[in-house]
Amino acid sequence: MIRRLAVTRHAATRLTVPALAALTGGVLVGAALAVPPAASAVDTSTAMGFTTAPRPTAPPPADTSRPQVLRVQPVAGRKVLADVWSPAMQKAVPTFVLLPADPRPAPLLLLLNGVGGGEDHVGWAYHTDYQRFFADKHVLVASPEGGRFSLYTDWHQPDPVLGVNRWHTFLDHELPAALAGSWALDGTRGVIGVSMSGGPALTLAARGHHHYAAAASLSGMPEVSTPFGRLAMTAMVARGGGNIGNAWGGPDDPAWVVNDPSWNVERLRGTALYLASAPGNPGPNDGPAIGSGTYAVGAPTEIASDAGTRHMAGALRAAGVPFTYDRYDNGAHTFGLFERELRDSWRVVGPALGA
């Protein structure tokens, strides 16, 4: 069953200590822990959030000033791995691409990963059957592997641990431009984020230089500049060894509001919007992923995501901006829950993309 809620704008600030502790431990960790070993290549260190060795990529191009696809490797079926050059970050970003069956121009869907950015082998390509889901849909799906603990934003300055982060620029401009140079795109685009990337997906649609026909946050945290939001964002970045000051500066820096979708709701008017979250109690929506990790980390993490999502829903409702919100009766931040959210989001995202 799905419930729809009416909430006040600041309802999300009333959270439990366990919920904040879960975010400090890292959003999406519960999902990784809950994956049965036989179905995953994730080892213990990866499940706890430590990244694996960077994926080898193609060498830099002769012209490093323009975004471009450097190399394409087949993976399975119509899934390929493309190394996409980012001039802003001066590196190649491995990106899983699902190609449509029909060669005619297709809309572009950015399907973002969680706190590990897929670098930890936790994400859509590793823990879901998303390739089958999109098999009959006329859309090109791109999932970058990178951006761990970055909040998928443009940082003020490089970080000693997390390096150069210009992910908003990459997602909004460089990646679409590079893909358009290799495959036929029709100019329509959408974005779906999960967990850490849920809020940034909405911010991308609100603050990007291109129109996004659809945007969705799946168990995301689209609450940034409230007291709890600041603590949550700081904790997520700190968990990766980074300093939030290098991202958005001090408490009075306007970057906090710029990157808070709940303060930019008017900019989302005209975009098909979808939100989803669950109250954190493990149940049927988690499917076979229910396990001890779900209770220890996934449950309180989803509680925090749920509160942040309700905060966003309240802001949209107060502004009269249309949106769809599915709040499930159960779910504890597992890929079982995320896959259902993805399927349910398509009734909003698919028509908006014409896919």
Side-chain angles (χ1 to χ4, degrees):
M1 182 181 295
I2 298 172
R3 292 178 289 174
R4 303 189 186 282
L5 299 179
V7 298
T8 60
R9 179 164 175 74
H10 296 289
T13 60
R14 299 187 293 275
L15 293 175
T16 63
V17 172
L20 180 57
L23 281 170
T24 306
V27 177
L28 203 57
V29 178
L33 286 172
V35 174
S40 168
V42 179
D43 62 19
T44 302
S45 63
T46 300
M48 291 305 295
F50 301 102
T51 58
T52 57
R55 183 186 293 277
T57 58
D63 180 4
T64 60
S65 66
R66 67 178 182 88
Q68 55 197 285
V69 174
L70 303 179
R71 179 178 64 181
V72 178
Q73 303 174 79
V75 178
R78 297 198 304 274
K79 180 163 69 174
V80 301
L81 182 64
D83 291 342
V84 180
W85 180 254
S86 167
M89 294 187 284
Q90 285 293 291
K91 68 178 182 181
V93 178
T95 302
F96 284 107
V97 178
L98 300 182
L99 302 173
D102 193 322
R104 63 190 167 90
L108 169 64
L109 175 65
L110 303 177
L111 185 63
L112 308 180
N113 289 304
V115 75
E119 294 179 63
D120 52 359
H121 293 174
V122 176
W124 297 109
Y126 299 99
H127 291 80
T128 74
D129 197 13
Y130 82 126
Q131 186 173 358
R132 178 179 296 180
F133 175 76
F134 285 109
D136 62 347
K137 297 167 179 59
H138 187 64
V139 60
L140 187 145
V141 182
S143 296
E145 191 169 278
R148 59 192 177 97
F149 309 105
S150 70
L151 307 176
Y152 283 116
T153 186
D154 282 0
W155 288 33
H156 284 340
Q157 59 193 28
D159 185 86
V161 175
L162 298 179
V164 176
N165 288 291
R166 304 291 294 176
W167 289 97
H168 183 99
T169 295
F170 178 75
L171 295 170
D172 190 50
H173 170 64
E174 295 176 341
L175 178 59
L179 295 176
S182 296
W183 294 286
L185 299 177
D186 67 8
T188 305
R189 68 173 72 173
V191 57
I192 296 176
V194 66
S195 196
M196 182 197 76
S197 64
L202 300 179
T203 298
L204 190 66
R207 306 291 308 196
H209 290 92
H210 300 271
H211 173 67
Y212 290 77
S217 171
L218 313 181
S219 292
M221 184 60 191
E223 178 182 3
V224 170
S225 59
T226 65
F228 176 75
R230 290 173 183 268
L231 286 172
M233 300 302 111
T234 300
M236 279 192 280
V237 172
R239 177 174 163 254
N243 184 334
I244 193 67
N246 293 324
W248 298 338
D252 297 327
D253 195 300
W256 285 91
V257 172
V258 167
N259 287 285
D260 188 340
S262 70
W263 282 103
N264 290 279
V265 292
E266 194 59 44
R267 289 173 172 265
L268 290 167
R269 193 180 298 276
T271 295
L273 301 173
Y274 178 85
L275 308 176
S277 66
N281 53 312
N285 280 316
D286 300 304
I290 294 177
S292 60
T294 302
Y295 292 93
V297 181
T301 299
E302 188 65 30
I303 290 173
S305 294
D306 182 53
T309 301
R310 288 186 287 119
H311 173 89
M312 182 69 193
L316 289 167
R317 189 175 292 113
V321 176
F323 68 101
T324 298
Y325 179 21
D326 287 341
R327 185 176 189 257
Y328 304 100
D329 285 340
N330 60 81
H333 221 69
T334 62
F335 275 93
L337 173 64
F338 301 159
E339 282 200 273
R340 177 175 180 185
E341 292 174 332
L342 177 63
R343 293 193 302 270
D344 288 348
S345 75
W346 200 248
R347 73 181 189 278
V348 175
V349 176
L353 296 180

PDB file of all heavy atoms in Angstrom, residues 303-316:
ATOM      1  N   ILE A 303      14.686   6.231   7.425  1.00  0.00           N
ATOM      2  CA  ILE A 303      13.935   7.180   8.256  1.00  0.00           C
ATOM      3  C   ILE A 303      14.366   8.607   7.938  1.00  0.00           C
ATOM      4  O   ILE A 303      13.543   9.514   7.778  1.00  0.00           O
ATOM      5  CB  ILE A 303      14.153   6.877   9.752  1.00  0.00           C
ATOM      6  CG1 ILE A 303      13.467   5.564  10.130  1.00  0.00           C
ATOM      7  CG2 ILE A 303      13.613   8.016  10.622  1.00  0.00           C
ATOM      8  CD1 ILE A 303      13.768   5.102  11.542  1.00  0.00           C
ATOM      9  N   ALA A 304      15.685   8.814   7.820  1.00  0.00           N
ATOM     10  CA  ALA A 304      16.197  10.142   7.493  1.00  0.00           C
ATOM     11  C   ALA A 304      15.781  10.557   6.086  1.00  0.00           C
ATOM     12  O   ALA A 304      15.358  11.696   5.857  1.00  0.00           O
ATOM     13  CB  ALA A 304      17.718  10.152   7.623  1.00  0.00           C
ATOM     14  N   SER A 305      15.893   9.633   5.124  1.00  0.00           N
ATOM     15  CA  SER A 305      15.488   9.938   3.758  1.00  0.00           C
ATOM     16  C   SER A 305      14.002  10.257   3.689  1.00  0.00           C
ATOM     17  O   SER A 305      13.578  11.156   2.962  1.00  0.00           O
ATOM     18  CB  SER A 305      15.802   8.756   2.837  1.00  0.00           C
ATOM     19  OG  SER A 305      17.190   8.543   2.733  1.00  0.00           O
ATOM     20  N   ASP A 306      13.218   9.522   4.444  1.00  0.00           N
ATOM     21  CA  ASP A 306      11.773   9.738   4.468  1.00  0.00           C
ATOM     22  C   ASP A 306      11.441  11.131   4.985  1.00  0.00           C
ATOM     23  O   ASP A 306      10.608  11.848   4.418  1.00  0.00           O
ATOM     24  CB  ASP A 306      11.129   8.660   5.344  1.00  0.00           C
ATOM     25  CG  ASP A 306       9.624   8.762   5.402  1.00  0.00           C
ATOM     26  OD1 ASP A 306       8.982   8.807   4.334  1.00  0.00           O
ATOM     27  OD2 ASP A 306       9.068   8.793   6.513  1.00  0.00           O
ATOM     28  N   ALA A 307      12.108  11.535   6.053  1.00  0.00           N
ATOM     29  CA  ALA A 307      11.862  12.861   6.607  1.00  0.00           C
ATOM     30  C   ALA A 307      12.270  13.953   5.622  1.00  0.00           C
ATOM     31  O   ALA A 307      11.556  14.941   5.435  1.00  0.00           O
ATOM     32  CB  ALA A 307      12.614  13.025   7.922  1.00  0.00           C
ATOM     33  N   GLY A 308      13.433  13.776   4.984  1.00  0.00           N
ATOM     34  CA  GLY A 308      13.874  14.753   4.000  1.00  0.00           C
ATOM     35  C   GLY A 308      12.946  14.829   2.806  1.00  0.00           C
ATOM     36  O   GLY A 308      12.694  15.903   2.242  1.00  0.00           O
ATOM     37  N   THR A 309      12.414  13.686   2.397  1.00  0.00           N
ATOM     38  CA  THR A 309      11.499  13.659   1.258  1.00  0.00           C
ATOM     39  C   THR A 309      10.174  14.318   1.622  1.00  0.00           C
ATOM     40  O   THR A 309       9.580  15.050   0.819  1.00  0.00           O
ATOM     41  CB  THR A 309      11.264  12.212   0.795  1.00  0.00           C
ATOM     42  OG1 THR A 309      12.524  11.626   0.431  1.00  0.00           O
ATOM     43  CG2 THR A 309      10.345  12.159  -0.417  1.00  0.00           C
ATOM     44  N   ARG A 310       9.683  14.071   2.835  1.00  0.00           N
ATOM     45  CA  ARG A 310       8.455  14.727   3.268  1.00  0.00           C
ATOM     46  C   ARG A 310       8.643  16.238   3.366  1.00  0.00           C
ATOM     47  O   ARG A 310       7.727  17.020   3.063  1.00  0.00           O
ATOM     48  CB  ARG A 310       7.992  14.139   4.605  1.00  0.00           C
ATOM     49  CG  ARG A 310       7.444  12.726   4.461  1.00  0.00           C
ATOM     50  CD  ARG A 310       6.839  12.197   5.761  1.00  0.00           C
ATOM     51  NE  ARG A 310       7.862  11.863   6.741  1.00  0.00           N
ATOM     52  CZ  ARG A 310       7.965  12.443   7.929  1.00  0.00           C
ATOM     53  NH1 ARG A 310       7.135  13.410   8.278  1.00  0.00           N
ATOM     54  NH2 ARG A 310       8.911  12.066   8.776  1.00  0.00           N
ATOM     55  N   HIS A 311       9.829  16.655   3.760  1.00  0.00           N
ATOM     56  CA  HIS A 311      10.152  18.085   3.784  1.00  0.00           C
ATOM     57  C   HIS A 311      10.041  18.672   2.371  1.00  0.00           C
ATOM     58  O   HIS A 311       9.455  19.738   2.169  1.00  0.00           O
ATOM     59  CB  HIS A 311      11.573  18.260   4.332  1.00  0.00           C
ATOM     60  CG  HIS A 311      12.092  19.661   4.267  1.00  0.00           C
ATOM     61  ND1 HIS A 311      11.899  20.578   5.275  1.00  0.00           N
ATOM     62  CD2 HIS A 311      12.804  20.309   3.307  1.00  0.00           C
ATOM     63  CE1 HIS A 311      12.465  21.726   4.953  1.00  0.00           C
ATOM     64  NE2 HIS A 311      13.033  21.588   3.756  1.00  0.00           N
ATOM     65  N   MET A 312      10.598  17.965   1.385  1.00  0.00           N
ATOM     66  CA  MET A 312      10.530  18.427   0.004  1.00  0.00           C
ATOM     67  C   MET A 312       9.089  18.454  -0.498  1.00  0.00           C
ATOM     68  O   MET A 312       8.674  19.408  -1.178  1.00  0.00           O
ATOM     69  CB  MET A 312      11.381  17.498  -0.881  1.00  0.00           C
ATOM     70  CG  MET A 312      11.440  17.906  -2.347  1.00  0.00           C
ATOM     71  SD  MET A 312      12.379  19.436  -2.568  1.00  0.00           S
ATOM     72  CE  MET A 312      11.944  19.870  -4.262  1.00  0.00           C
ATOM     73  N   ALA A 313       8.334  17.421  -0.170  1.00  0.00           N
ATOM     74  CA  ALA A 313       6.930  17.375  -0.588  1.00  0.00           C
ATOM     75  C   ALA A 313       6.162  18.562  -0.010  1.00  0.00           C
ATOM     76  O   ALA A 313       5.323  19.170  -0.685  1.00  0.00           O
ATOM     77  CB  ALA A 313       6.297  16.056  -0.157  1.00  0.00           C
ATOM     78  N   GLY A 314       6.444  18.900   1.245  1.00  0.00           N
ATOM     79  CA  GLY A 314       5.778  20.039   1.856  1.00  0.00           C
ATOM     80  C   GLY A 314       6.111  21.347   1.165  1.00  0.00           C
ATOM     81  O   GLY A 314       5.238  22.209   0.981  1.00  0.00           O
ATOM     82  N   ALA A 315       7.365  21.505   0.757  1.00  0.00           N
ATOM     83  CA  ALA A 315       7.774  22.728   0.068  1.00  0.00           C
ATOM     84  C   ALA A 315       7.091  22.836  -1.300  1.00  0.00           C
ATOM     85  O   ALA A 315       6.637  23.919  -1.700  1.00  0.00           O
ATOM     86  CB  ALA A 315       9.296  22.755  -0.089  1.00  0.00           C
ATOM     87  N   LEU A 316       7.028  21.739  -2.024  1.00  0.00           N
ATOM     88  CA  LEU A 316       6.359  21.748  -3.332  1.00  0.00           C
ATOM     89  C   LEU A 316       4.869  22.036  -3.171  1.00  0.00           C
ATOM     90  O   LEU A 316       4.287  22.817  -3.932  1.00  0.00           O
ATOM     91  CB  LEU A 316       6.565  20.400  -4.023  1.00  0.00           C
ATOM     92  CG  LEU A 316       7.972  20.091  -4.530  1.00  0.00           C
ATOM     93  CD1 LEU A 316       8.099  18.612  -4.893  1.00  0.00           C
ATOM     94  CD2 LEU A 316       8.312  20.957  -5.746  1.00  0.00           C
TER      95      LEU A 316
END
